[in-house]
């Protein structure tokens, strides 16, 4: 049973063309996260929601936005993708913040920018 | 900024061998997690350690949290091809913080 679902698994977009990645969860968790992972690098946290409270990491570019219309869904919007934004985008959820709360990851969306 | 350094970055071994990978930081973490990520998939949690000196075992995998809660190790006994993947450690600085991930150790176990 899928718990964190990401669509699409593979996304190709053109340079500068807005793109939206989606994530849904069946766990009813309070926290949802978006990470960017480039080849041979650590997952980099872009932002997270605790319920409806949005928390942006200080170094996340303005080009990246997020929406959480309800508990189950969260979206990542890239307003003007550049070649450097090509990466795997991972969505994760957890019941609460902190290291004692397990994060459940989706399978990721591989974004290609042409 | 808290950093987690993982070593080695890449490890290629034969089935049946033992191995240890390391996760080190100059910062203290309230807890540390280990994940395994297979190609094209998201990371999956293996274990969480919270107490300095703690040792946890998961079948052939043994995890240890350093006494000072700044480092951790993962030891695999008699590796199998199914152990192949990227092993990531991630630490939380407090009970309410987000996780900081290391770059990972890519393990390849050949038959």
């Amino acid at each position: 049973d899928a718990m964190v679902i990401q669509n699409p698994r593979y996304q190709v977009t053109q340079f500068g063309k807005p793109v939206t990645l989606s994530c849904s969860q069946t766990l009813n968790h309070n926290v949802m996260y978006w990470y960017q992972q480039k080849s041979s690098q650590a997952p980099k946290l872009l932002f997270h929601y605790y319920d409806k409270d949005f928390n942006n990491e200080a170094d996340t570019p303005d080009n990246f936005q997020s929406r959480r219309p309800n508990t189950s869904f969260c979206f990542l919007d890239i307003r003007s993708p550049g070649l450097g934004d090509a990466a795997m985008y991972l969505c994760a959820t957890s019941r609460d913040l902190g290291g004692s709360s397990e994060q459940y990851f989706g399978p990721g969306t591989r974004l290609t920018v042409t | 900024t808290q950093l987690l350094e993982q070593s080695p970055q890449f490890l290629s071994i034969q089935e049946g061998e033992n191995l240890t990978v390391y996760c080190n930081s100059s910062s203290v973490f309230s807890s540390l997690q280990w994940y395994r990520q297979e190609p094209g998939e998201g990371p999956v949690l293996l274990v969480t350690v919270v107490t300095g000196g703690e040792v946890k075992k998961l079948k052939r995998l043994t995890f240890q949290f350093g006494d000072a809660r700044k480092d951790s190790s993962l030891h695999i006994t008699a590796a199998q091809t199914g152990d192949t993947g990227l092993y990531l450690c991630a630490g939380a600085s407090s009970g309410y913080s987000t996780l900081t991930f290391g770059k990972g150790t890519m393990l390849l176990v050949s038959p």
Side-chain angles (χ1 to χ4, degrees):
Chain A
D1 294 336
M3 295 183 289
V4 182
I5 302 162
Q6 290 190 244
N7 285 308
R9 294 292 307 272
Y10 301 91
Q11 176 73 56
V12 180
T13 191
Q14 293 178 333
F15 183 93
K17 185 175 180 180
V19 66
T20 295
L21 309 182
S22 73
C23 176
S24 64
Q25 57 142 334
T26 60
L27 298 162
N28 203 34
H29 281 171
N30 292 312
V31 192
M32 295 188 78
Y33 310 80
W34 278 105
Y35 290 88
Q36 179 192 65
Q37 186 178 27
K38 296 186 177 181
S39 181
S40 303
Q41 294 187 20
K44 178 181 180 298
L45 182 63
L46 297 173
F47 22 61
H48 73 275
Y49 276 93
Y50 190 103
D51 195 12
K52 296 180 181 179
D53 292 334
F54 177 71
N55 296 272
N56 200 33
E57 293 300 298
D59 57 353
T60 298
D62 292 339
N63 197 26
F64 292 86
Q65 303 287 319
S66 185
R67 297 169 283 135
R68 189 180 185 185
N70 54 53
T71 300
S72 300
F73 286 87
C74 195
F75 300 97
L76 170 61
D77 301 307
I78 308 177
R79 293 193 294 189
S80 181
L83 297 179
D85 296 328
M88 173 75 88
Y89 289 88
L90 295 164
C91 174
T93 74
S94 65
R95 187 175 304 281
D96 284 299
L97 285 170
S100 60
S101 192
E102 177 180 355
Q103 290 195 19
Y104 292 81
F105 284 83
T109 294
R110 170 78 60 187
L111 178 68
T112 300
V113 181
T114 61
Chain B
T1 302
Q2 295 182 305
L3 292 175
L4 281 165
E5 301 285 342
Q6 290 192 244
S7 61
Q9 290 186 3
F10 184 79
L11 188 57
S12 180
I13 61 171
Q14 297 290 117
E15 204 167 24
E17 291 184 33
N18 301 333
L19 66 116
T20 302
V21 298
Y22 301 92
C23 175
N24 295 297
S25 177
S26 58
S27 304
V28 175
F29 289 95
S30 66
S31 64
L32 198 137
Q33 298 180 347
W34 283 92
Y35 290 80
R36 180 169 68 212
Q37 184 177 20
E38 298 187 14
E41 300 294 332
V44 175
L45 181 69
L46 297 172
V47 77
T48 301
V49 285
V50 296
T51 305
E54 182 176 6
V55 176
K56 281 193 174 180
K57 292 192 174 184
L58 184 67
K59 296 183 180 178
R60 293 174 294 100
L61 279 59
T62 302
F63 304 85
Q64 184 160 9
F65 201 14
D67 291 340
R69 290 186 287 127
K70 293 183 178 181
D71 55 86
S72 182
S73 63
L74 159 59
H75 181 79
I76 301 179
T77 303
Q80 300 176 358
T81 55
D83 296 327
T84 291
L86 179 67
Y87 288 81
L88 294 159
C89 66
S93 60
S94 72
Y96 297 98
S97 69
T98 55
L99 292 177
T100 298
F101 278 85
K103 287 188 177 183
T105 292
M106 183 64 218
L107 173 65
L108 175 62
V109 183
S110 303

